[in-house]
Amino acid sequence: MSNLMKYKIWYFIFSLLIILPGLYFLFTSGLKLGIDFTGGALLEYSFEKSINLNDLKQQVSLQGIEIGQVTSSENNIYIIRTKPVEQSKISKLKSFLNEKFGKVEERRVEFVGPVIGSELKQKALIGVTLAALVIVLYIAFSFRKIPKPTSSWRFGITAVLALVHDILVVVGVFAIFGKLLGVEVDTLFVTALLTVIGFSVHDTIVVFDRIRENLVKHMGRKFIDVANLSVIQTLGRSLNTSLTVVFVLLALLLFGGETLRWFVVALLIGIVSGTYSSIFNATALLVWWEEKLGH
């Protein structure tokens, strides 16, 4: 039987190599926040024919409107996200676009104030923090009957540390995307993060629950041996579950349209990271903790 846990330090090093570039961009450039967080306007127009995105950006900028992002969808529909802008400029924009590109239909105009944006940032942070806290308490309570000296709190804390790993991977990658590709994060990104949190913990609990069962079945065996056996027993299930989700997300990425693209990308990165961290980081960290402080 393979001893996967003897390579635990290498798993930690690999995770650091993945996280550090994202952290560098996160601290030096930060996330590129969308209008959901900064305030601004979302404009949706339908054109008679397909037009060049760069031309559209240039023409809108000529009207004194600061653009955050322009995306295209099916049927020649274009969505323009702008920084805070006066209503008068929005009213003149449709006439101007009519002159430049032919008949234009205004499908949607939405305004988000900076106060609402600030409130959303605060609620998003509170939501993620509360989710992590409840997970620790839930796992610690559920695993309270595991054989001593193993502590149920260690299971909860290591699950959340693996979860933090997944969040840092996703946030770090989007900090890089924001700097290099101009990708903005919005409320869909927060939704993706919360989904990743749920998936990551779900996968981790599957492995941890098998460890709990095997601790009872194999009393007297070293913790590292029990953990290694549990990982091998659940490895196939974890990979199969993750791959089915990945296939669905790839289909959405290819055929889901522009508006869902970065939401799906965030989910894909989080699911892959969550699968890795559940199998290797969470269990490896639990083994390391038991070896160093368990007795």
Side-chain angles (χ1 to χ4, degrees), residues 89-205:
K89 289 185 177 181
I90 300 297
S91 302
K92 294 177 182 177
L93 180 61
K94 181 185 175 183
S95 300
F96 179 78
L97 293 177
N98 265 316
E99 294 176 9
K100 292 293 180 181
F101 299 108
K103 186 179 178 182
V104 176
E105 178 190 351
E106 186 178 84
R107 295 169 57 90
R108 179 169 47 145
V109 175
E110 295 179 3
F111 291 92
V112 179
V115 174
I116 296 175
S118 178
E119 185 179 335
L120 277 173
K121 280 190 284 187
Q122 185 178 6
K123 286 183 176 180
L125 184 61
I126 291 173
V128 172
T129 304
L130 281 178
L133 180 60
V134 171
I135 287 165
V136 171
L137 295 174
Y138 171 74
I139 294 178
F141 177 77
S142 299
F143 284 58
R144 65 191 184 280
K145 295 182 179 180
I146 58 173
K148 301 301 180 184
T150 306
S151 169
S152 62
W153 286 101
R154 289 177 192 155
F155 283 82
I157 293 170
T158 51
V160 169
L161 289 175
L163 177 157
V164 170
H165 165 275
D166 301 332
I167 292 175
L168 289 178
V169 169
V170 177
V171 171
V173 169
F174 270 76
I176 296 172
F177 285 165
K179 179 67 175 178
L180 303 182
L181 303 176
V183 176
E184 297 181 344
V185 300
D186 52 16
T187 48
L188 273 180
F189 177 75
V190 177
T191 304
L193 275 185
L194 291 171
T195 305
V196 168
I197 286 172
F199 187 90
S200 172
V201 172
H202 164 268
D203 221 21
T204 302
I205 287 178

Side-chain angles (χ1 to χ4, degrees), residues 19-58:
I19 290 172
L20 287 177
L23 286 179
Y24 171 78
F25 278 90
L26 186 63
F27 287 120
T28 56
S29 306
L31 291 169
K32 189 175 177 64
L33 300 177
I35 64 168
D36 293 340
F37 297 113
T38 62
L42 186 149
L43 317 173
E44 184 175 327
Y45 296 104
S46 176
F47 291 79
E48 274 188 317
K49 57 185 179 181
S50 178
I51 61 175
N52 185 278
L53 281 179
N54 290 327
D55 289 343
L56 180 58
K57 288 180 183 178
Q58 185 179 10

